[in-house]
PDB file of all heavy atoms in Angstrom:
ATOM      1  N   GLU A  66      13.195  -0.277   9.976  1.00 87.00           N
ATOM      2  CA  GLU A  66      12.263   0.683  10.195  1.00 87.00           C
ATOM      3  C   GLU A  66      12.015   1.526   9.019  1.00 87.00           C
ATOM      4  O   GLU A  66      10.888   1.912   8.625  1.00 87.00           O
ATOM      5  CB  GLU A  66      12.563   1.503  11.456  1.00 87.00           C
ATOM      6  CG  GLU A  66      11.497   2.424  11.874  1.00 87.00           C
ATOM      7  CD  GLU A  66      10.197   1.795  12.273  1.00 87.00           C
ATOM      8  OE1 GLU A  66      10.236   0.643  12.840  1.00 87.00           O
ATOM      9  OE2 GLU A  66       9.138   2.418  12.010  1.00 87.00           O
ATOM     10  N   SER A  67      13.097   1.927   8.385  1.00 89.00           N
ATOM     11  CA  SER A  67      13.008   2.770   7.175  1.00 89.00           C
ATOM     12  C   SER A  67      12.237   2.071   6.052  1.00 89.00           C
ATOM     13  O   SER A  67      11.418   2.593   5.260  1.00 89.00           O
ATOM     14  CB  SER A  67      14.374   3.193   6.636  1.00 89.00           C
ATOM     15  OG  SER A  67      15.041   4.093   7.577  1.00 89.00           O
ATOM     16  N   ALA A  68      12.518   0.727   5.909  1.00 88.00           N
ATOM     17  CA  ALA A  68      11.870  -0.107   4.879  1.00 88.00           C
ATOM     18  C   ALA A  68      10.372  -0.228   5.153  1.00 88.00           C
ATOM     19  O   ALA A  68       9.549  -0.115   4.251  1.00 88.00           O
ATOM     20  CB  ALA A  68      12.534  -1.423   4.816  1.00 88.00           C
ATOM     21  N   ASN A  69      10.011  -0.332   6.500  1.00 87.00           N
ATOM     22  CA  ASN A  69       8.622  -0.460   6.886  1.00 87.00           C
ATOM     23  C   ASN A  69       7.896   0.881   6.496  1.00 87.00           C
ATOM     24  O   ASN A  69       6.796   0.818   6.002  1.00 87.00           O
ATOM     25  CB  ASN A  69       8.511  -0.714   8.380  1.00 87.00           C
ATOM     26  CG  ASN A  69       8.738  -2.089   8.706  1.00 87.00           C
ATOM     27  OD1 ASN A  69       8.573  -3.000   7.871  1.00 87.00           O
ATOM     28  ND2 ASN A  69       9.062  -2.393   9.946  1.00 87.00           N
ATOM     29  N   LYS A  70       8.560   1.944   6.764  1.00 89.00           N
ATOM     30  CA  LYS A  70       7.895   3.294   6.435  1.00 89.00           C
ATOM     31  C   LYS A  70       7.702   3.445   4.929  1.00 89.00           C
ATOM     32  O   LYS A  70       6.731   3.886   4.504  1.00 89.00           O
ATOM     33  CB  LYS A  70       8.708   4.462   7.027  1.00 89.00           C
ATOM     34  CG  LYS A  70       8.597   4.543   8.511  1.00 89.00           C
ATOM     35  CD  LYS A  70       9.376   5.711   9.079  1.00 89.00           C
ATOM     36  CE  LYS A  70       9.382   5.726  10.609  1.00 89.00           C
ATOM     37  NZ  LYS A  70      10.191   6.795  11.189  1.00 89.00           N
ATOM     38  N   LYS A  71       8.702   3.008   4.207  1.00 91.00           N
ATOM     39  CA  LYS A  71       8.670   3.054   2.730  1.00 91.00           C
ATOM     40  C   LYS A  71       7.554   2.175   2.207  1.00 91.00           C
ATOM     41  O   LYS A  71       6.811   2.548   1.366  1.00 91.00           O
ATOM     42  CB  LYS A  71      10.093   2.786   2.089  1.00 91.00           C
ATOM     43  CG  LYS A  71      10.039   2.923   0.609  1.00 91.00           C
ATOM     44  CD  LYS A  71       9.902   4.305   0.148  1.00 91.00           C
ATOM     45  CE  LYS A  71      10.010   4.424  -1.444  1.00 91.00           C
ATOM     46  NZ  LYS A  71       9.822   5.832  -1.889  1.00 91.00           N
ATOM     47  N   MET A  72       7.432   1.042   2.804  1.00 90.00           N
ATOM     48  CA  MET A  72       6.525   0.001   2.370  1.00 90.00           C
ATOM     49  C   MET A  72       5.103   0.617   2.621  1.00 90.00           C
ATOM     50  O   MET A  72       4.150   0.463   1.813  1.00 90.00           O
ATOM     51  CB  MET A  72       6.644  -1.240   3.113  1.00 90.00           C
ATOM     52  CG  MET A  72       5.895  -2.449   2.481  1.00 90.00           C
ATOM     53  SD  MET A  72       6.451  -2.877   0.912  1.00 90.00           S
ATOM     54  CE  MET A  72       4.891  -3.227   0.151  1.00 90.00           C
ATOM     55  N   GLN A  73       4.937   1.293   3.731  1.00 89.00           N
ATOM     56  CA  GLN A  73       3.609   1.860   4.000  1.00 89.00           C
ATOM     57  C   GLN A  73       3.321   2.939   3.139  1.00 89.00           C
ATOM     58  O   GLN A  73       2.117   3.056   2.563  1.00 89.00           O
ATOM     59  CB  GLN A  73       3.621   2.474   5.486  1.00 89.00           C
ATOM     60  CG  GLN A  73       2.270   2.986   5.864  1.00 89.00           C
ATOM     61  CD  GLN A  73       2.175   3.412   7.319  1.00 89.00           C
ATOM     62  OE1 GLN A  73       3.079   3.222   8.170  1.00 89.00           O
ATOM     63  NE2 GLN A  73       1.102   4.104   7.690  1.00 89.00           N
ATOM     64  N   GLU A  74       4.265   3.801   2.683  1.00 92.00           N
ATOM     65  CA  GLU A  74       4.019   4.777   1.716  1.00 92.00           C
ATOM     66  C   GLU A  74       3.642   4.180   0.352  1.00 92.00           C
ATOM     67  O   GLU A  74       2.762   4.688  -0.309  1.00 92.00           O
ATOM     68  CB  GLU A  74       5.292   5.710   1.591  1.00 92.00           C
ATOM     69  CG  GLU A  74       5.135   6.796   0.598  1.00 92.00           C
ATOM     70  CD  GLU A  74       6.368   7.685   0.423  1.00 92.00           C
ATOM     71  OE1 GLU A  74       7.486   7.121   0.527  1.00 92.00           O
ATOM     72  OE2 GLU A  74       6.257   8.862   0.165  1.00 92.00           O
ATOM     73  N   ILE A  75       4.326   3.192  -0.008  1.00 92.00           N
ATOM     74  CA  ILE A  75       4.040   2.483  -1.263  1.00 92.00           C
ATOM     75  C   ILE A  75       2.603   1.879  -1.231  1.00 92.00           C
ATOM     76  O   ILE A  75       1.833   2.072  -2.209  1.00 92.00           O
ATOM     77  CB  ILE A  75       5.050   1.291  -1.545  1.00 92.00           C
ATOM     78  CG1 ILE A  75       6.433   1.914  -1.833  1.00 92.00           C
ATOM     79  CG2 ILE A  75       4.587   0.491  -2.715  1.00 92.00           C
ATOM     80  CD1 ILE A  75       7.562   0.922  -1.693  1.00 92.00           C
ATOM     81  N   ASN A  76       2.282   1.260  -0.171  1.00 90.00           N
ATOM     82  CA  ASN A  76       0.944   0.664   0.010  1.00 90.00           C
ATOM     83  C   ASN A  76      -0.221   1.855  -0.121  1.00 90.00           C
ATOM     84  O   ASN A  76      -1.199   1.672  -0.785  1.00 90.00           O
ATOM     85  CB  ASN A  76       0.713  -0.032   1.248  1.00 90.00           C
ATOM     86  CG  ASN A  76       1.452  -1.327   1.288  1.00 90.00           C
ATOM     87  OD1 ASN A  76       1.604  -1.992   0.237  1.00 90.00           O
ATOM     88  ND2 ASN A  76       1.888  -1.777   2.440  1.00 90.00           N
ATOM     89  N   GLU A  77       0.055   2.950   0.549  1.00 89.00           N
ATOM     90  CA  GLU A  77      -0.941   4.041   0.559  1.00 89.00           C
ATOM     91  C   GLU A  77      -1.042   4.585  -0.838  1.00 89.00           C
ATOM     92  O   GLU A  77      -2.179   4.913  -1.301  1.00 89.00           O
ATOM     93  CB  GLU A  77      -0.491   5.122   1.564  1.00 89.00           C
ATOM     94  CG  GLU A  77      -0.693   4.677   3.038  1.00 89.00           C
ATOM     95  CD  GLU A  77      -0.212   5.708   4.037  1.00 89.00           C
ATOM     96  OE1 GLU A  77       0.208   6.847   3.587  1.00 89.00           O
ATOM     97  OE2 GLU A  77      -0.334   5.395   5.177  1.00 89.00           O
ATOM     98  N   ALA A  78       0.097   4.794  -1.504  1.00 91.00           N
ATOM     99  CA  ALA A  78       0.075   5.252  -2.943  1.00 91.00           C
ATOM    100  C   ALA A  78      -0.758   4.325  -3.804  1.00 91.00           C
ATOM    101  O   ALA A  78      -1.603   4.788  -4.543  1.00 91.00           O
ATOM    102  CB  ALA A  78       1.454   5.405  -3.478  1.00 91.00           C
ATOM    103  N   TYR A  79      -0.519   3.068  -3.697  1.00 91.00           N
ATOM    104  CA  TYR A  79      -1.183   2.065  -4.592  1.00 91.00           C
ATOM    105  C   TYR A  79      -2.691   2.122  -4.263  1.00 91.00           C
ATOM    106  O   TYR A  79      -3.530   2.018  -5.157  1.00 91.00           O
ATOM    107  CB  TYR A  79      -0.579   0.598  -4.355  1.00 91.00           C
ATOM    108  CG  TYR A  79      -1.212  -0.384  -5.255  1.00 91.00           C
ATOM    109  CD1 TYR A  79      -0.973  -0.518  -6.586  1.00 91.00           C
ATOM    110  CD2 TYR A  79      -2.143  -1.310  -4.657  1.00 91.00           C
ATOM    111  CE1 TYR A  79      -1.461  -1.490  -7.352  1.00 91.00           C
ATOM    112  CE2 TYR A  79      -2.832  -2.282  -5.504  1.00 91.00           C
ATOM    113  CZ  TYR A  79      -2.418  -2.382  -6.814  1.00 91.00           C
ATOM    114  OH  TYR A  79      -2.978  -3.302  -7.588  1.00 91.00           O
ATOM    115  N   ASP A  80      -3.051   2.059  -2.978  1.00 88.00           N
ATOM    116  CA  ASP A  80      -4.477   2.162  -2.619  1.00 88.00           C
ATOM    117  C   ASP A  80      -5.134   3.434  -3.150  1.00 88.00           C
ATOM    118  O   ASP A  80      -6.273   3.347  -3.561  1.00 88.00           O
ATOM    119  CB  ASP A  80      -4.621   2.100  -1.057  1.00 88.00           C
ATOM    120  CG  ASP A  80      -4.262   0.712  -0.439  1.00 88.00           C
ATOM    121  OD1 ASP A  80      -4.231  -0.207  -1.242  1.00 88.00           O
ATOM    122  OD2 ASP A  80      -4.038   0.694   0.750  1.00 88.00           O
TER     123      ASP A  80
END
Side-chain angles (χ1 to χ4, degrees):
E66 186 61 32
S67 295
N69 282 337
K70 287 180 183 178
K71 182 67 175 177
M72 193 67 218
Q73 183 173 353
E74 181 182 33
I75 293 164
N76 287 332
E77 288 177 2
Y79 182 76
D80 289 344

